[in-house]
Amino acid sequence: MSLSKKLVVPPGGKTRIADFDPADPLAGVAGAPTTKDEAEAALSANVEVIADLQYRLYAENTRALLIVLQAMDAAGKDGVIRHCFSGVNPQGCKVTAFKQPSATELDHGYLWRIHHAVPPKGEIGIFNRSHYEDVIVVRVHELVPEKVWKARYDQINAFERLLADNGVVIRKFFLNVSNAEQKKRLLDRLADPKKNWKMSAADFAERRRWPEYMAAYEDAVARCSTDHAPWHVIPADRKWIRNWAVSQIVRETLESMDPKLPKIRLDPATIDTSG
Amino acid sequence: MSLSKKLVVPPGGKTRIADFDPADPLAGVAGAPTTKDEAEAALSANVEVIADLQYRLYAENTRALLIVLQAMDAAGKDGVIRHCFSGVNPQGCKVTAFKQPSATELDHGYLWRIHHAVPPKGEIGIFNRSHYEDVIVVRVHELVPEKVWKARYDQINAFERLLADNGVVIRKFFLNVSNAEQKKRLLDRLADPKKNWKMSAADFAERRRWPEYMAAYEDAVARCSTDHAPWHVIPADRKWIRNWAVSQIVRETLESMDPKLPKIRLDPATIDTSG
């Protein structure tokens, strides 16, 4: 079975997050690594291929690739970005981390700041959080009435359709970490001076809303997985499986896009090179 | 002698570009590699250190680093970015390539689009071309009257002073390629299907204006090299010297900034981790 087929959320389906195992070793998936060492070697190889294909995408300059990352805290959004995209030329690969919207952003519709950050032709754009927060954290914390967030699934599908129709290939990843593994990581992080500076009491408090978050994620991925912008549920309890799986789907996506170097615009023979 | 001291343009001086040798092997510079292999190993080591310091800069979240790259075509702006910054986490490292200004950008002052692209706190920003085009190509092609571009040196110095006063550390690099080496590279590029798609007849035509470009660069680096935003003239005829030299100055700059991981905001003991 192909990796993408195993992890993709079928369009129009009634997907349950609980049907995806956060600790899935991906056994039986063609090419899946079986050890951490194998996974790291495969990840490095993928990064090299991605870097090469990104050069072609940049040269071709007709399409873009948008990667959307969503997850509970400590599931590894930052880690996926660092491991899968360090090694890719930052000229042509931009990360946008969506934080709490500013006052100005709140004065606009929720897709305003998102549209602004969509990658231009030739580039890879990575969203660390995204418009999906507007149907996840906004729903869990009841920041807008239910009828407002419920209307957003269709709006998001239409928006992503617009992007796809204009040359933006979209792949969305939910990094699926288990409740127990998240707790372990947060406690480890709290004890690590290299990492605990970014923690606050809210990180643990949010855990009390775990079921509400899972319900929100479930609806988001089920209602907004489409052929042109599929969601993938990535097993995230093992970091090496998680990183390899994302890099593999990104690689396969770029390979299927098969960007081509353009032909020279002029006949070289007509160029006066005497200067 | 330190690398930075050897290559920096002294503030207030009457620097001549011709005094910098594009083929300078940097012999006598402390730590300078003497072979291509040595240079590549030193570059890799620098990229690792830069990546680590960038994480600290991101965590510290109080200052930014702005790298400005200017050069004649084929001197290696793209190559420097690829070699020195692939390997750095793209979350926290953004490249802005300034192309011909749009109609909207032309309706604003020339520093408007520049200011917008200045890196925020915690990030490294790389300008592939910059506001210096407004005293270089604009001058050479007489796109504005002389009194307009002449007034810009002071404006640029004041603008960069503003940025520096607000936590942006600035380092500027002129990649100094010789006329003969540029011609060789353009001819090589023309013959290479992996690269010739980006060429046009203008690339050779611009060579006829070489002396005007050198005069424009000379004034720009002499008038706008300041203690808070120094210009460095990088010998660019050998790619391995060029890449190492830029990476070394970026590394030394980040080391001198010495970004610190913040302390945790809360006493871990007060956090309720029972959730």
Side-chain angles (χ1 to χ4, degrees):
Chain A
M1 180 176 240
S2 87
L3 178 67
S4 181
K5 191 160 183 186
K6 182 176 172 70
L7 301 181
V8 75
V9 176
K14 296 212 171 288
T15 293
R16 300 196 58 235
I17 293 284
D19 292 341
F20 289 86
D21 176 6
D24 189 342
L26 301 179
V29 168
T34 57
T35 65
K36 193 174 171 186
D37 283 352
E38 263 183 52
E40 287 175 352
L43 172 63
S44 292
N46 283 347
V47 172
E48 272 191 45
V49 174
I50 291 168
D52 180 61
L53 288 162
Q54 187 266 327
Y55 175 74
R56 292 172 176 272
L57 185 73
Y58 188 76
E60 186 192 71
N61 196 36
T62 61
R63 294 172 293 171
L65 175 60
L66 171 60
I67 305 294
V68 173
L69 296 172
Q70 285 285 162
M72 297 296 283
D73 276 347
K77 297 185 298 297
D78 291 344
V80 161
I81 295 170
R82 190 171 69 251
H83 286 97
C84 298
F85 297 100
S86 295
V88 176
N89 189 342
Q91 175 155 275
C93 178
K94 289 203 177 60
V95 181
T96 306
F98 289 98
K99 301 176 184 171
Q100 288 207 1
S102 69
T104 300
E105 287 169 346
L106 287 170
D107 280 345
H108 291 273
Y110 68 103
L111 291 173
W112 181 74
R113 64 174 184 162
I114 305 296
H115 208 154
H116 184 77
V118 168
K121 287 175 189 172
E123 296 199 7
I124 298 175
I126 300 159
F127 284 180
N128 184 344
R129 306 184 186 276
S130 68
H131 43 304
Y132 284 93
E133 292 296 339
D134 295 290
V135 290
I136 295 169
V137 69
V138 161
R139 164 177 168 176
V140 170
H141 284 275
E142 301 179 19
L143 301 181
V144 300
E146 181 171 342
K147 69 170 185 187
V148 172
W149 60 256
K150 275 204 166 161
R152 289 179 174 172
Y153 301 115
D154 287 345
Q155 294 164 2
I156 288 173
N157 286 337
F159 172 68
E160 293 179 354
R161 174 87 256 170
L162 170 76
L163 298 184
D165 285 348
N166 285 277
V168 182
V169 174
I170 304 170
R171 293 294 181 270
K172 299 177 293 196
F173 299 95
F174 171 56
L175 309 180
N176 187 27
V177 75
S178 65
N179 185 301
E181 175 67 15
Q182 191 210 32
K183 180 160 188 176
K184 181 179 169 303
R185 288 188 193 172
L186 288 178
L187 289 171
D188 286 352
R189 190 182 275 184
L190 197 59
D192 181 352
K194 273 201 161 175
K195 294 180 175 171
N196 69 10
W197 54 269
K198 57 179 157 181
M199 297 201 71
S200 73
D203 296 334
F204 286 92
E206 286 298 280
R207 286 179 46 76
R208 298 177 202 283
R209 300 176 192 261
W210 188 275
E212 295 95 308
Y213 273 109
M214 288 306 112
Y217 270 111
E218 193 158 280
D219 280 344
V221 303
R223 290 170 179 246
C224 298
S225 195
T226 56
D227 284 331
H228 59 276
W231 271 107
H232 293 84
V233 178
I234 304 291
D237 272 8
R238 289 185 184 86
K239 294 176 183 177
W240 50 276
I241 288 273
R242 174 198 76 195
N243 295 339
W244 172 77
V246 172
S247 74
Q248 183 66 21
I249 294 173
V250 171
R251 173 188 174 153
E252 289 175 6
T253 302
L254 282 163
E255 284 175 339
S256 71
M257 291 170 71
D258 192 20
K260 297 270 197 291
L261 298 177
K263 298 251 181 276
I264 187 167
R265 288 164 287 184
L266 290 173
D267 175 358
T270 68
I271 296 182
D272 176 1
T273 60
S274 63
Chain B
M1 180 177 239
S2 86
L3 178 66
S4 180
K5 192 161 183 184
K6 182 176 172 70
L7 301 181
V8 74
V9 175
K14 297 213 169 288
T15 293
R16 298 198 59 235
I17 293 284
D19 292 342
F20 289 86
D21 176 6
D24 189 343
L26 301 179
V29 167
T34 56
T35 66
K36 193 174 171 185
D37 283 353
E38 263 183 50
E40 288 176 350
L43 172 63
S44 292
N46 283 347
V47 171
E48 273 192 44
V49 173
I50 291 168
D52 178 61
L53 287 162
Q54 187 265 328
Y55 175 73
R56 292 171 176 272
L57 185 73
Y58 188 76
E60 185 191 71
N61 196 37
T62 60
R63 295 172 292 172
L65 174 61
L66 172 59
I67 305 294
V68 173
L69 296 172
Q70 286 284 162
M72 297 296 283
D73 277 348
K77 296 184 297 298
D78 291 344
V80 161
I81 294 170
R82 191 170 68 252
H83 286 96
C84 298
F85 297 100
S86 296
V88 176
N89 190 341
Q91 175 155 276
C93 179
K94 290 204 177 60
V95 180
T96 306
F98 290 98
K99 302 175 183 171
Q100 287 207 2
S102 69
T104 300
E105 287 169 344
L106 286 170
D107 280 344
H108 291 272
Y110 68 103
L111 291 174
W112 180 75
R113 64 175 184 160
I114 305 295
H115 208 155
H116 184 77
V118 168
K121 289 175 187 172
E123 296 198 8
I124 298 175
I126 301 160
F127 284 0
N128 184 344
R129 305 185 188 274
S130 67
H131 43 305
Y132 284 94
E133 292 296 338
D134 295 289
V135 290
I136 295 170
V137 70
V138 161
R139 165 177 167 176
V140 170
H141 283 274
E142 302 179 19
L143 302 181
V144 299
E146 180 171 343
K147 69 171 184 184
V148 172
W149 59 256
K150 276 204 166 161
R152 289 180 174 171
Y153 302 114
D154 288 344
Q155 293 164 2
I156 287 172
N157 286 338
F159 172 67
E160 293 179 353
R161 173 87 257 172
L162 170 76
L163 299 184
D165 286 349
N166 286 277
V168 182
V169 173
I170 305 169
R171 293 292 181 272
K172 299 177 295 197
F173 299 94
F174 171 57
L175 309 180
N176 187 28
V177 75
S178 66
N179 185 301
E181 175 67 16
Q182 192 211 32
K183 180 159 188 176
K184 180 179 170 302
R185 289 188 192 171
L186 289 176
L187 290 170
D188 287 350
R189 191 182 277 184
L190 197 58
D192 181 353
K194 274 201 161 176
K195 293 180 176 172
N196 69 11
W197 54 269
K198 57 179 158 181
M199 298 201 70
S200 74
D203 296 334
F204 286 92
E206 286 297 280
R207 286 179 46 75
R208 297 176 203 284
R209 301 177 192 259
W210 188 274
E212 294 95 309
Y213 273 109
M214 289 305 114
Y217 270 110
E218 192 157 282
D219 281 342
V221 304
R223 289 169 181 248
C224 298
S225 196
T226 56
D227 284 330
H228 59 275
W231 272 107
H232 294 84
V233 179
I234 304 291
D237 272 8
R238 290 185 184 85
K239 294 175 183 179
W240 50 277
I241 289 273
R242 174 198 75 195
N243 294 339
W244 173 78
V246 172
S247 73
Q248 183 66 22
I249 294 173
V250 171
R251 172 187 175 153
E252 290 175 5
T253 302
L254 282 164
E255 285 175 337
S256 72
M257 290 170 73
D258 191 20
K260 297 272 196 292
L261 298 178
K263 298 253 181 275
I264 186 168
R265 287 164 286 184
L266 290 173
D267 175 358
T270 68
I271 297 182
D272 176 2
T273 60
S274 63

